[in-house]
Amino acid sequence: MGDVQRQRPYVPARTLDTEFPLIDSDPHFRRVLRYARREDYAVAAATAAAGPSLMLVWERFAPSYVGKGGFAPIMRLTGAIGITAGFLQFYNRSIFRFYGFSENQREREMDMREMVDKVKRNEPLYGKSTLSPYMQGVASRNSRYAGVWLHIIPWFNFVNHEQHGVDTAKYYQQAERELEAERAKAL
C-alpha cells in the first residue's frame, strides 16, 4: 500500500472565448515585459506622471500652505504610487494581448518565432524549472489568468512550467516545415 504512487489529476487551463487568439494563459513575467509595445511604455509614463502632475496643479490653484517641508513627502508618496500604477498599467496592457483580449498579431508572430527557434535548438519551450511537476502545476493554477485581477492583487508568474493553455504542436510543425525548406534550399 505504501509503495503505490498516486497519480494527481491534470487540471487543464480554461480557454476563454476572446476576439483574438490566445497566446499564453500564464506567461512568465519576463516574457510579458519583453513583448511590450512602445505604446505600453507611453501609457505607463503618462499614468506614472499623472498623479504628481495633478498634485502640482492642485497646489498651484488651491495651495495647501504646508511649505516645502510638508509638500515634499506628499510628492514622493504620489510619485511612488504613480510609478506603481504606471507599471501595473504597462503590464496589464501587455498581458491582455497574451490572453487575446486585445489585438495581438505582432505578439503571435513573436511567439511563433521564439518557440520555433527553441524547437530548432532542442530547448524546452517554456524554460527549465527546478520545481517538481506537482509544484509547477500549483504555480500554474495560482497565476493562470492572474492579469485579469491585477488591479485587485498584483500576482505574477515567475515559474517556468509547461501548462500554458495552448497546443504546442503548432511550434513543432512550423519548425519541421522550416527545417524541410532549409534542407530543400541546401540541395
Side-chain angles (χ1 to χ4, degrees):
M1 224 12 139
D3 294 337
V4 177
Q5 291 235 346
R6 199 174 93 193
Q7 182 69 25
R8 290 190 168 96
Y10 171 71
V11 179
R14 181 177 179 185
T15 54
L16 303 176
D17 185 27
T18 59
E19 186 178 347
F20 303 99
L22 173 72
I23 297 172
D24 194 336
S25 65
D26 191 20
H28 195 280
F29 180 80
R30 285 183 306 229
R31 195 164 183 230
V32 174
L33 298 182
R34 257 193 350 258
Y35 280 46
R37 296 182 180 182
R38 287 186 184 136
E39 305 90 69
D40 298 338
Y41 288 99
V43 169
T47 303
S53 300
L54 192 57
M55 288 296 291
L56 287 171
V57 169
W58 278 339
E59 185 65 21
R60 175 145 175 108
F61 290 109
S64 61
Y65 301 110
V66 293
K68 289 183 179 181
F71 191 64
I74 296 299
M75 283 302 289
R76 283 194 294 273
L77 176 63
T78 306
I81 292 171
I83 288 170
T84 303
F87 173 75
L88 293 176
Q89 179 71 6
F90 165 83
Y91 192 87
N92 223 19
R93 287 174 56 92
S94 183
I95 203 166
F96 275 10
R97 286 191 289 274
F98 277 93
Y99 297 156
F101 294 166
S102 57
E103 187 278 318
N104 61 4
Q105 179 63 37
R106 173 186 165 270
E107 287 74 14
R108 283 185 288 159
E109 292 168 2
M110 289 175 67
D111 173 63
M112 183 61 77
R113 182 77 270 135
E114 178 185 2
M115 295 304 174
V116 167
D117 288 346
K118 284 185 176 186
V119 168
K120 287 180 178 179
R121 291 189 308 261
N122 204 19
E123 295 176 1
L125 289 179
Y126 296 104
K128 295 176 185 172
S129 180
T130 57
L131 296 178
S132 69
Y134 172 72
M135 289 308 297
Q136 290 178 35
V138 169
S140 171
R141 289 186 295 277
N142 283 334
S143 61
R144 192 177 296 150
Y145 290 111
V148 175
W149 301 104
L150 201 64
H151 61 288
I152 304 295
I153 181 168
W155 195 278
F156 308 104
N157 174 26
F158 295 108
V159 176
N160 291 321
H161 57 76
E162 298 296 321
Q163 301 176 23
H164 293 270
V166 293
D167 183 14
T168 58
K170 62 184 176 184
Y171 304 127
Y172 292 95
Q173 293 165 353
Q174 180 64 27
E176 206 171 286
R177 285 191 288 271
E178 288 182 14
L179 289 171
E180 284 298 319
E182 290 171 10
R183 281 189 213 116
K185 200 178 204 181
L187 296 175

